[in-house]
């Protein structure tokens, strides 16, 4: 059977992708950011997932104000890196496990979570940066070492889904993966965050104490984390801190009890607090 073995929480700051693509990761500004991902890449090499179920948000790239799906599941054969204004990132096309994606669509929708099905979609930094960070640099002619099922969550335009809805959706995704007959090692990524605000008077806001508490809750008390309200994210973590609800989809797909095998937190990278956690299921 397919099994969820671990979850990864990871920032998606676009400048991290630029630093990798332009080869400046050893510069003093970036060195401590990437130092904290060395262990993650070693862990990933040992983990060898067959499939990464990657929860991320699109930043007005594949979607715009004309169409705002709350939860959009990638069911296409592949997803090209999008041109976000300075050309597509020089990273591989993302290949799907289409049969598992279709099975998840069937299972989760019949479980009463009404997903949007994407049979064509390009992916932006929200997806490609966590892939680069966790798997290392791979060029356009290369392949990612895993298949990827993307789930795009709307956290750009209110109303965004609640943390609790994301957590419950994670549980439904877990039920779907658990019921898939092929023997597959699946790792779930929850991406985005942590505290950051990109505009207006509080631009540059970072709240390290709050972020660290959120990381603690990810490991120890996900149910409490799922009850955090939108207003608290806004007030404490800035307007873009709401991206953290996507980590709750990942956490919902894991067991109640997990082992934290790695944590990395660094301020700042671009306008953002970089946060990262690796949680393993014990079973
Ligand atoms: C930054 C962070 C984001 O999450 C994003 O989507 C764009 C920019 C930043 O810190 O610059
Ligand atoms: Fe973002």
């Amino acid at each position: 059977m397919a099994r969820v073995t671990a979850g990864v929480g990871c920032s998606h700051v676009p400048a991290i992708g630029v630093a990798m693509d332009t080869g400046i990761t050893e510069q003093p500004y970036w060195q401590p950011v990437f130092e904290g991902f060395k262990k993650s890449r070693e862990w990933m090499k040992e983990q060898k997932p067959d499939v990464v179920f990657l929860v991320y948000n699109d930043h007005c790239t594949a979607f715009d104000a004309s169409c705002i799906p709350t939860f959009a599941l990638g069911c296409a054969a592949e997803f090209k890196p999008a041109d976000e204004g300075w050309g597509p990132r020089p990273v591989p096309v993302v290949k799907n496990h289409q049969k598992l994606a279709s099975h998840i669509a069937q299972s989760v929708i019949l479980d009463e979570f009404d997903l949007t099905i994407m049979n064509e979609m390009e992916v932006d930094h929200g997806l490609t940066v966590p892939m680069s960070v966790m798997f290392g640099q791979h060029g356009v002619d290369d392949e990612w070492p895993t298949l990827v099922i993307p789930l795009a969550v709307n956290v750009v335009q209110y109303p965004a889904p609640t943390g609790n809805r994301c957590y419950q959706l994670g549980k439904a995704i877990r039920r779907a993966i658990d019921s898939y007959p092929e023997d597959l090692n699946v790792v779930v990524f929850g991406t985005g965050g942590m505290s950051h605000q990109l505009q207006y008077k509080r631009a540059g806001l970072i709240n390290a104490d709050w972020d660290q508490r959120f990381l603690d809750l990810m490991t120890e008390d996900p149910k409490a984390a799922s009850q955090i309200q939108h207003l608290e994210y806004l007030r404490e973590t800035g307007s873009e801190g709401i991206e953290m609800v996507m980590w709750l989809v990942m956490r919902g797909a894991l067991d109640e009890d997990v082992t934290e095998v790695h944590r990395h937190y660094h301020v700042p990278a671009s306008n953002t607090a970089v946060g990262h956690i690796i949680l393993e299921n014990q079973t």
Side-chain angles (χ1 to χ4, degrees), residues 77-244:
E78 60 178 40
F79 309 94
K80 290 197 175 71
D83 183 350
E84 298 179 62
W86 51 90
R89 282 196 64 211
V91 292
V93 168
V94 175
K95 302 276 171 71
N96 198 353
H97 190 304
Q98 263 186 307
K99 280 192 172 168
L100 177 57
S102 307
H103 170 82
I104 291 172
Q106 161 98 358
S107 171
V108 168
I109 290 171
L110 295 186
D111 217 350
E112 303 183 341
F113 288 84
D114 310 317
L115 306 178
T116 299
I117 307 294
M118 299 303 296
N119 288 322
E120 213 181 296
M121 182 166 74
E122 292 191 345
V123 289
D124 72 8
H125 67 270
L127 184 142
T128 63
V129 168
M131 287 296 291
S132 298
V133 158
M134 293 304 294
F135 291 99
Q137 194 71 4
H138 288 268
V140 269
D141 299 326
D142 204 354
E143 285 189 6
W144 290 118
T146 178
L147 300 172
V148 178
I149 302 177
L151 177 77
V153 179
N154 166 43
V155 290
V156 167
Q157 175 69 53
Y158 281 87
T162 63
N164 186 53
R165 187 66 173 160
C166 290
Y167 187 57
Q168 299 305 328
L169 174 60
K171 289 178 181 291
I173 291 164
R174 172 65 180 276
R175 289 192 285 274
I177 294 169
D178 280 351
S179 65
Y180 189 71
E182 194 184 340
D183 185 26
L184 293 172
N185 175 5
V186 182
V187 172
V188 181
F189 282 23
T191 70
M194 296 192 83
S195 55
H196 63 306
Q197 172 147 343
L198 301 177
Q199 67 264 305
Y200 206 47
K201 289 186 182 164
R202 297 204 304 165
L205 179 145
I206 285 175
N207 186 344
D209 289 342
W210 196 100
D211 287 340
Q212 289 287 359
R213 258 198 317 280
F214 185 80
L215 291 169
D216 291 343
L217 289 179
M218 277 290 114
T219 304
E220 292 157 15
D221 195 352
K223 189 144 191 289
S226 75
Q227 298 307 304
I228 297 168
Q229 301 296 302
H230 281 167
L231 273 177
E232 181 172 346
Y233 284 108
L234 272 170
R235 190 181 59 234
E236 300 295 330
T237 75
S239 52
E240 275 64 54
I242 191 66
E243 289 183 344
M244 277 182 275

Side-chain angles (χ1 to χ4, degrees), residues 39-101:
K39 183 176 168 176
S40 319
R41 289 183 192 167
E42 283 161 22
W43 175 87
M44 200 46 110
K45 275 203 182 118
E46 282 172 22
Q47 182 71 23
K48 291 193 191 66
D50 300 298
V51 181
V52 165
F53 188 92
L54 200 151
V55 186
Y56 77 109
N57 73 290
D58 178 82
H59 301 74
C60 301
T61 305
F63 309 115
D64 59 28
S66 66
C67 176
I68 307 172
T70 303
F71 297 113
L73 184 70
C75 291
E78 60 178 40
F79 309 94
K80 290 197 175 71
D83 183 350
E84 298 179 62
W86 51 90
R89 282 196 64 211
V91 292
V93 168
V94 175
K95 302 276 171 71
N96 198 353
H97 190 304
Q98 263 186 307
K99 280 192 172 168
L100 177 57

